[in-house]
Amino acid sequence: MRIRVAIGAAIAALDRAQFAHTFWMAAGIACSVWIADLSGLDGPYWAGITAMVVALPDRRSMLLKCGHRLAGTYVGAAIGLALVKLVGGSLVLFCAATFVVVFVGLWMTQVASWPYAWRIGSITSAMVLTGGAVAPEHAHVIAVFRPAEVTIGVVTMALFQLAAVSVLGAPTVAAAAAPAASAGSAASGSPATITNIERFRNACSPAFAACVTFLLCRVFELPGGAQSVISVCALALTGPLEKVERKAAQRLLGAALGAVAGLAVALGLGFEHAGVAATVTYWAVMVAVAWCLSVLNRGPADCAYLGLQAEITFLVVCAQTSKPSASFESGFTRLEGVLIGVAVFYAIEALLNIIVARLHKSPTAGGRV
């Protein structure tokens, strides 16, 4: 109910200036995908996702987030590749390395002055490790292509946003709020209000969950390993269990919404041999759907994260290349990874809350003790 009301509020609050800014944002996302595909990169959707995430209306905040994302991606890719070469083919060492990069990244997210860079760095390193566990060449592909795709997304959206401010002026306060764009960039409490023991627990729980998801995907040969680790890191540092529940529900619902939107586009335009007309239509539909989801992404907090996740999944499904495709394999992989990551992390968090509550001889309050 809260999400439905928030979606209605986001649509009702849309004025001409917000319409223009969100449409400009959608065009920048599509342009990022197109440039990444022309560059021959393996995952153009990562350029689109990056463009979407860094598209903050405020110039200073946008440039700062661009710097964080670039630094975290490049350093994380280098560390991940080095660890893949170091651990060899040992599954146990891969698990240990995944635990370490996630733990260190989330610990530093709580204490460092560049929290978003540390979180992105840990996610990137974990992605490289996940790929390297399947085959060493996969790690090399991720470590080389992902930074290139992120760079394209950052540069393209920065140019689009700076041009938008110059042409359209600064967005309104409602449009500038953009709560989802900064989601996950800070810890669940300021460094002055939590102890090192709490920080350790906040980093250890998702690091352990990342190892569990990694093992599940390897043992059962599931393709959503990277997506599950990303989901764990995204839900980390959310706060009490009630907030984890809300964010997990929004992540799942958003992924499902984006998958449905992507499937509709894939089924409607999934004919790569259809020629120029189909490609032009594809891009027009891409921009239109991305704009609709951007409206949710820029809406109130209760629908912003849902819109963010829907837009990410839509790009994963539809932006494999710059041409229409009828394949939905990437959508299933995304949904599977999100479901595994959310389920494992929530189960571990709930279990920890029960254990801590019993140790303190008090009933479970639903939040972190």
Side-chain angles (χ1 to χ4, degrees):
M1 178 63 72
R2 293 177 59 183
I3 293 176
R4 186 172 64 184
V5 172
I7 291 174
I11 297 173
L14 189 67
D15 58 23
R16 182 175 297 180
Q18 292 168 346
F19 177 96
H21 278 279
T22 51
F23 184 82
W24 200 279
M25 173 181 169
I29 292 170
C31 186
S32 299
V33 173
W34 179 66
I35 293 173
D37 184 64
L38 286 182
S39 303
L41 301 176
D42 75 320
Y45 60 89
W46 275 107
I49 291 171
T50 298
M52 176 194 62
V53 171
V54 302
L56 300 180
D58 177 67
R59 181 179 301 182
R60 183 180 180 279
S61 298
M62 179 195 66
L63 294 177
L64 185 62
K65 192 157 193 175
C66 287
H68 283 213
R69 192 159 185 105
L70 285 171
T73 301
Y74 275 89
V75 174
I79 291 174
L81 191 58
L83 288 173
V84 168
K85 294 182 178 180
L86 182 65
V87 302
S90 171
L91 187 61
V92 174
L93 291 180
F94 266 109
C95 249
T98 300
F99 181 93
V100 169
V101 297
V102 174
F103 178 86
V104 172
L106 293 178
W107 173 276
M108 295 304 296
T109 297
Q110 300 174 86
V111 300
S113 57
W114 276 38
Y116 185 65
W118 280 98
R119 188 188 288 258
I120 290 298
S122 67
I123 290 174
T124 305
S125 293
M127 288 176 61
V128 175
L129 285 166
T130 302
V134 178
E137 57 269 21
H138 290 181
H140 285 273
V141 169
I142 296 172
V144 173
F145 284 171
R146 203 63 69 244
E149 290 150 2
V150 168
T151 302
I152 290 173
V154 162
V155 173
T156 303
M157 185 52 74
L159 294 175
F160 264 78
Q161 289 293 88
L162 293 175
V165 172
S166 300
V167 174
L168 304 172
T172 61
V173 175
S182 300
S185 61
S188 59
S190 63
T193 60
I194 61 176
T195 66
N196 283 335
I197 293 177
E198 290 172 318
R199 292 191 186 103
F200 178 84
R201 181 247 193 268
N202 292 341
C204 192
S205 170
F208 179 67
C211 289
V212 173
T213 60
F214 174 85
L215 283 174
L216 284 175
C217 293
R218 288 297 299 129
V219 171
F220 295 101
E221 298 182 350
L222 302 174
Q227 293 293 340
S228 64
V229 172
I230 292 172
S231 289
V232 168
C233 293
L235 292 176
L237 310 181
T238 298
L241 195 61
E242 294 92 337
K243 290 186 177 181
V244 174
E245 290 175 355
R246 190 180 310 122
K247 191 172 183 179
Q250 290 177 352
R251 189 173 185 87
L252 288 169
L253 185 58
L257 177 62
V260 169
L263 179 60
V265 172
L267 291 177
L269 302 174
F271 302 99
E272 296 183 1
H273 60 276
V276 177
T279 301
V280 172
T281 305
Y282 164 79
W283 279 109
V285 172
M286 274 276 292
V287 172
V289 176
W291 172 77
C292 291
L293 297 176
S294 294
V295 171
L296 298 183
N297 189 3
R298 293 298 188 219
D302 283 330
C303 76
Y305 190 69
L306 183 148
L308 175 71
Q309 295 307 311
E311 200 162 4
I312 288 175
T313 306
F314 173 75
L315 290 172
V316 170
V317 174
C318 290
Q320 295 291 321
T321 67
S322 62
K323 295 180 180 180
S325 172
S327 173
F328 192 61
E329 181 180 354
S330 57
F332 283 120
T333 300
R334 165 76 177 171
L335 288 173
E336 178 185 83
V338 169
L339 182 59
I340 293 172
V342 165
V344 170
F345 180 73
Y346 180 78
I348 291 174
E349 285 286 291
L351 182 61
L352 281 176
N353 273 267
I354 293 173
I355 293 173
V356 173
R358 288 185 176 179
L359 288 175
H360 285 251
K361 295 182 180 180
S362 63
T364 303
R368 291 180 174 173
V369 179

